[in-house]
Amino acid sequence: ALALSACGSGNQAKGGGDTKFVQGTGGISVVKNKSDRQAAPDLSGKTLDGKRLDLLKEYKGKIIAFNVWGSWCAPCRAEAPNLTKVANEYKDKGVQFVGLNTRDVDTAPPLSFEKRYEVPYPSFHDPSAKLLLRFPKGSLNPQFIPSTIFIDRNGKIAASAPHALSVDELRKTLDPLVAEK
């Protein structure tokens, strides 16, 4: 069984093993060399509103900002307005935000969370963290919630942040990915 912490504490990210991550500013780990990036896992399942979502098929060719969160998590509540703002700013730049709600067994609290923060993107409902476990070793530390994984247009993991992100951090991570050809 996977034991997730109640909310991750900030800047403890380190590059690990063969992941080719290098520590970026603010605890964001980046894989700058495209050929060193690992493939994102095939993620499919039900969203909080009960719809089926196949992440890499539905958003093929888009940059994906994949945020792991829980309605019970104070840093997630602090981060939500930042994610909403940047998701709206970057939707016309080929960027799709997707959430993964974890540890909320009932969908009512996370749906209320999404309504409160006007979240404009879908979230998987993953109460037992089964989807989290599909990520390659070292690419996502499921003990830190919130966490965000950035997937490039080719379906490869380009960056990882195991903490709540500011608007500036989101922009600084997405801008180089948007500029990639």
Side-chain angles (χ1 to χ4, degrees):
L2 176 67
L4 299 174
S5 69
C7 279
S9 62
N11 301 325
Q12 299 173 0
K14 299 280 187 261
D18 292 328
T19 63
K20 308 295 184 198
F21 279 112
V22 293
Q23 187 70 35
T25 58
I28 300 171
S29 298
V30 178
V31 182
K32 293 189 186 254
N33 187 348
K34 288 191 221 180
S35 65
D36 289 335
R37 294 177 183 167
Q38 293 179 289
D42 184 21
L43 296 177
S44 60
K46 292 214 175 194
T47 60
L48 285 169
D49 60 4
K51 295 178 182 167
R52 182 115 182 110
L53 176 62
D54 188 329
L55 186 75
L56 297 178
K57 286 183 184 168
E58 191 153 333
Y59 301 124
K60 185 176 179 145
K62 290 192 177 251
I63 296 161
I64 300 169
F66 187 78
N67 180 259
V68 181
W69 64 280
S71 66
W72 43 267
C73 170
C76 300
R77 290 190 293 275
E79 179 184 48
N82 303 337
L83 295 167
T84 295
K85 178 178 179 62
V86 176
N88 286 325
E89 286 177 6
Y90 281 70
K91 68 181 174 187
D92 293 333
K93 295 180 181 184
V95 177
Q96 176 64 49
F97 279 65
V98 176
L100 184 142
N101 169 262
T102 191
R103 293 183 58 195
D104 280 308
V105 177
D106 183 7
T107 58
L111 285 170
S112 177
F113 177 103
E114 286 189 335
K115 184 176 180 182
R116 177 179 180 193
Y117 294 106
E118 300 176 1
V119 175
Y121 51 84
S123 284
F124 285 106
H125 184 227
D126 188 29
S128 61
K130 287 180 182 176
L131 292 177
L132 284 179
L133 295 175
R134 292 186 186 169
F135 278 88
K137 184 179 179 185
S139 65
L140 173 65
N141 185 337
Q143 294 179 10
F144 294 110
I145 299 171
S147 288
T148 303
I149 294 281
F150 297 87
I151 301 169
D152 69 18
R153 285 187 182 90
N154 297 312
K156 307 282 185 159
I157 299 170
S160 175
H163 62 281
L165 294 169
S166 69
V167 167
D168 286 343
E169 288 173 314
L170 286 160
R171 289 177 182 150
K172 285 178 184 176
T173 306
L174 287 169
D175 285 343
L177 294 173
V178 169
E180 285 182 357
K181 298 296 174 203

